[in-house]
Every structure is written in structure tokens, then in C-alpha cells.
Amino acid sequence: MAVLSSAVLALLPLVVVAVLLVGFLWPAERAMPVAWLVAAVVGFAIWDMPVEWIAAASIRGGLAALEILWIVFGALVLLYTLMRSGAVDTINDAFASISEDRRVQVVLLGFFLATFIEGVAGFGTPAAVVAPLLLALGFPALAAVVAALVGHAVATVFGAVGTPIIVGYEQPLGSVEPTIATEGMSVASYSASAAGWAAVFNGILGVLMPLFAVGMVVYFFGDPDERSLAPLRGVVPLCLVSGVSFAVPYALTAWFIGPELPSLLAAMVGGAVVVGLLRAGYLEPDDTWEFPPRDEWPDHWVGTIEPGGDGTGAATGSEHSMSLLRAWSPYLILVVLLIGTRVIEAVAERLEGDPVVSIETGLGTFSIGPVLEWSAILGTELGGAISWAYVPGTWLVVSALIAVPLFRMDADEVVGAWRDAGSKIVSPLIALVFVIAMVEIMLETDAHVEADVVAAASVPDGSMIVVLAEATATVIGPAYPMIAPAVGALGAFIAGSITVSNITFSAFQFEVAQTLDMPTQILVGAQSIGGAIGNVIAIHNVIAALATVGLVGKTGRVVRLNLIPVAYYLLVGGILTTIAVYVLFPTIF
């Protein structure tokens, strides 16, 4: 069967995702099961994939989804613990008290607070938390949503304590482990290295993101009769220093510590540097910029919640007062725990240690210990595991439990925080299980061929992902590095998640690089360029953020506005990728 015709069939599950999510605006929990079914049918009918292999690949995807959800649940438990205790209010008030200038507030909350929340929670949480905080400060609802979405983009590469890398890279790249092993690398070390390149690319691009966030606000939400970027000039030094203060620890942490902490530490370190400079009298603009008078605002700026009120939407239920250090302390504890469990080799080895007990059954071998593993699933060669003791989810939950006595929370507040976190993962549970199961089928469609004596002549040569990669390389060829980030952006735009985008396309980027004889780490890293910026126009993220400020029905307007930073990110990101591939690092694996 010709490569291009096979590629059309392999593309069907992704087309279904695009049509249902974007065309019919189905929620992901409805669209992804249909896409999984399409992938299963194509695998069975075109690739002769046995039913047990389809089921085993789906189970493997389900195990990966559970590992992601454990991280997400822990992140949400910790975040809602801070919200219920009043710690988030303390942090927000501290930022807001530094300056009354709206441009400075965009930098401090729309950039630093949003990137911090992305680093610890991800999955659309930053805009949903920061937008109502900006609304409560008096921002127009539409401006609050735009600022929060644009501001958090660069942090999504390592959002939810590294989930887009730990799972988004490692899970799909497991299918090319033999190729990676020939270079003396494990999938984990390869993913960490590719993540380092992603941090370099996004760090360079991210330097200008505070400037874009402020520029969007002053241009589109200044005088309605006279749009101008003139007010941006007064905060150019602040925006550039903020971008650099974030980018440097961001890249260094990615290279020397790992994927769990870059966004979190960069937001904390960069925010501390900028706040310190502002309090010392540096970087503060000479004038104070404010929105036009409230009665001059166009109707589409505001929804059902009036700016300046309590737009947080969080049922904090707490009257605790606390110091800023105490408010931040659970996250400081989290940083210590994560660094300790990653840097101290003996601890890391113990947390990823051998199973305590193994049970062999007709369904496969189950191993119980620091890692829950199911090998030889349904008698196939496929296996999956949940590293529950090592992944950040466990340490997020531990930090949340430590926060309870620190904040002197009562039982109702604790139960409320855990209930809020649990309710938020129901929809992601369904969507993630089926999208990762779909991708696993696409990755493993030819795995069963190795177990057969002779493969059917009509079966395409290679998995769905390999066939798609070869077709792309044939059609686009040497120009591919320029569009590699756009592939990641498409995935994030459709699925609303850089993690899902990475799961869907990381192996694809790797295979294209192999086919074109290009550095694989560079193209896999470029996947996260698009995955990051795609979040600012992802339908699900936009709708969620709009809902928190009472501005339902303005999705198209937000997407159109945010195409400006998207265009910058993809154009410059493509240029950076091309230069890295052909000029700077052509010999890197």
C-alpha cells in the first residue's frame, strides 16, 4: 500500500478529534472515546492488529493516564488547600499592593503568578485562577482573560510539575526505545535532554511574553477611540527584565535539575527578583496607566461579574490572616521534596525500586511495590506501569497535608479542598484515558508483526505514527523544521493541553527527524514550542477562563486576539528550530 494512502488512513483518528472538538465543539470527554474507536477500527482493519493487542495498547494508555491524573490531583489538592485557607488571597494581595499601575499588575499577576500556578497545577488552571483575580482588581473581564492566557504560555512546557515531559515525552517515546538505546540513553534521559532544548527555545521566546501580555492589554483595552502602543514604552525595561529573570532559572533548572521544577522555580526566582527591584524603586514606570473610565467601556469587555468585586469564584471560607512567607511555605516545602527525591540518588533509587511482590496470571504479570507494573498485558509483549512513589503527585499530596496544620485549617476547609480537587479531574479522567489509549494504538499498530512469522503484504510498513511521519517527510522535506512547532500548536489547540499534544506528536516528531536525518532532540524539543503557545488559543482553556469571569460566548474574540502572540511564537520558533537543525547543532542525536 502506498505511503500516502496509508497516511490518509492513519490520519483519520486525528481528523475525527479535530472535527468533533473544533467543528462540532464537543467536549473532550465525548470526542476522545470516538477517536479511540476510530483508531481501533483502523488498526484492526488496515494494520491487521489483533483485538488483544488493541486492548493491551489501550490498557497501557489507561495506566499512563492514571499516572497523569495522580499528578493533576495532587496539584489541585495543594492549590485548593491554599485557596480554602486564604493563602492565595495573601499572595494575590502582596502582588497587587506593589503597584497600582495596571501594566505592572499584568506582569506580576498575569505573568509571574500565572506561570507559577502553571508550574504547580497546569491543565488550564492558571487562567481560571488568575483571570478572576485580575477582575477583582478592576480589570475588564476580557482583558483579564487575555492577560492570563498569554502570560502563562511559556510555563506550560513544564506545567503541572513536569507532566508534559514526564508523561508527554516519555510515554510515546517508549515506542522508539531501541533506537534511543543505541545512543546509550534511556527514554527518561533522552526526554530530559529534549526538554532541555525545549527550555532553551521557549526561554528565548518567553523573554518577550511579558511585553506581549502588557501590549495586548494597553492596545486593545486602552482608549476605545484611539488604540496605541505608546503606554507600552514606559514598561519595556520592566517587561524585559521580567522575561530574562524568568528565562534564566527556567533553562538552568531544566538542564541541571529536571523537568519537574523549571516553571515553578523560574516563577518564584524571577518574581522575587522583579518584586525586589520594584520595591527598591527600580523599573517602576514614571506614570501610572489606568483603564478608561468604567462608563466608556464597550459592552463586550464585561460579562455578568462586575470588575472590582469578588471575582475569584473560590469558596475560600476562611478568615485566617497569615504572613506572605507562610502563604508560600507549602510550595517551598514542595520544591525541597522534589529536589531531594530527584537529586539524592539513593532516595530516587528507593522510590523507583524493585517490586515487593509479583503475581502471574492469565492476564499478565502484576508487580506491586514503589512501581505498580502490569507486564505482558493480555499475553502480548506490551506493558505499563505507574511510578506512584516517584512521580510528583505523591509529593504534592504530602505538601498539601503538611499545609493543613501550617494554615490551621479546620475539617470543613480540608474536605472542601479535596472535594474541589476530586470534582475537577472527572472530565480529564475520561478524556486522558481515551486520548492516550488512541495514541498507544497508533504507536503499536505494527508491534504484533514481530510476533508473526510473515506479515501480510497488504499491511502498511510501520505503525500509524511512522507512516504519518514518512508521508510528512516526503511532502515537506527539508523545510520541516520551520513547521515543527506548528504541529505542537495544532495538537494543543485541538486537545487543549500541551501534555496531550506531546503524547500525540512527540513520537511523530522523532520519526520525522529520523526519516529526514535531522537531530531528533531538536525536533522533539520544538514540539513543545507549539504545544506551549497553542494553549493560549485552545478552545477548552479559553472557555474555562471566560466562565470564571462571567463572560460566556466570547471564545472567538479571545482566540482572534491571541493569534498575535501565537504568530510571533510560531514564526520565531520555526526560525530558531531551523537554525538549530542546520547551523548550530546538526550532529546531535
Side-chain angles (χ1 to χ4, degrees), residues 204-283:
I204 294 171
L205 292 163
V207 168
L208 295 185
M209 290 310 284
L211 201 64
F212 268 94
V214 175
M216 297 282 287
V217 170
V218 300
Y219 184 78
F220 291 107
F221 301 96
D223 186 344
D225 298 322
E226 187 179 346
R227 288 179 173 175
S228 172
L229 284 174
L232 186 61
R233 287 197 292 267
V235 289
V236 168
L238 169 65
C239 291
L240 293 179
V241 169
S242 297
V244 172
S245 298
F246 180 92
V248 172
Y250 177 81
L252 291 177
T253 304
W255 276 108
F256 296 108
I257 295 180
E260 294 91 351
L261 294 173
S263 294
L264 193 157
L265 278 180
M268 294 176 73
V269 172
V273 168
V274 171
V275 167
L277 290 171
L278 286 168
R279 289 196 181 281
Y282 301 102
L283 303 178

Side-chain angles (χ1 to χ4, degrees), residues 5 27 38 91 165 180 225 229 257 264 317 321 343 349 357 369 385 402 429 482 517:
S5 60
V38 171
I91 293 169
I165 305 301
I180 291 173
D225 298 322
L229 284 174
I257 295 180
L264 193 157
S321 61
V343 174
E349 289 178 354
V357 61
I402 293 173
L429 168 63
M482 193 66 197
D517 195 26

